[in-house]
Amino acid sequence: MRLLRPFLRCLPANRLLVVACHRVTPAFDPYDPQTPDAARFARQLDALRGFEVVPLTAGLAALREGKLRRTSVAITFDDGYREQLVVAAPLLAARGYPATVFVSSGFVGGPNMWHDRLLWALREGVAGARLDAVGLPEAVPVALQARRQLAERCTAAVKSLPLLAREQAVALVEAACAAPPAPRLMLDATELRELARRPGIEIGAHTRHHPILAACALEEARAEVSGSRADLEQLLGVPVGLFAYPNGHEGRDFSERDVGLVREAGFSHAFTSDWGAVTPASDALKLPRVSLYRQSALGNALLLAREAWR
Ligand SMILES: [Zn+2]
């Protein structure tokens, strides 16, 4: 990493790499091997050592004014998990790194998000439970790996359903699996306020219920976008000017109509899950992000450097 630093200092000016993170589990979970645990997240943060890590809003302002002297990085989290307070925030604080957390306001205090409910139901459910009610021919298997694969198929099958139909499908799977109650994964109001008070932490909006906006009727999408801003401003007592689109791929998950709703709701900047660096030419309501998907700090530092040059 140290050898890389002179090279990182030569990266182009006026580029902001916005890193998108989600869950950070306390320990490695074989059922959920893709989700970084605390140790892997710490390595992801170590990849940022040679970069200037800036608060997102300040970084965007500096970019607009042409004042980012070299490629900088901002850290974001989506959804509003408790782990972001309990596991991630101390690791950020130890390094003095700021971050922005995009919260789906309808999940504050519970219930868990629909895909986590499916994962839990199929992980902890009764082996042999039938899933005919959601159109899946197989029963819940015994092996953890096979349960995980079934959970992924189940997730893909219900992901793009309208909100109500998706909720019904998840409830059917939960009823069929009869798993014990799941631990609460989402921040509650007290925890969210505590997170917002941590130095360097900023809260953005991420709709109320995390729908695929492109699949929502106009008024439903409008309520999801503007409602999340109103909810969070009421909870936190500060203006919320940043937004991230659920799922976040332009064209597939949100449309120009939804960009218009984000503008109408008064957000100054909105983030997608499309890949790339933010430059002064980027559309403020369709800003790309990157993910640190490599295992090592060096691998992730090189991934960021490549993106800065692209
Ligand atoms: Zn999300």
Side-chain angles (χ1 to χ4, degrees), residues 23 30 35 48 53 120 124 135 138 146 154 175 241 245 287-288 297-298 300:
R23 293 190 61 183
T35 294
L48 310 182
V53 181
W120 178 263
E124 301 294 331
E138 61 261 71
C154 218
Y245 299 92
L287 298 171
L298 180 64
N300 282 321

Side-chain angles (χ1 to χ4, degrees), residues 22 78-79 102 104 113 115 206 210 244-247 289:
H22 290 82
D78 282 6
D79 305 331
F102 294 107
S104 288
M113 297 185 83
H115 51 274
H206 194 43
H210 209 277
Y245 299 92
N247 252 46
R289 293 189 282 179

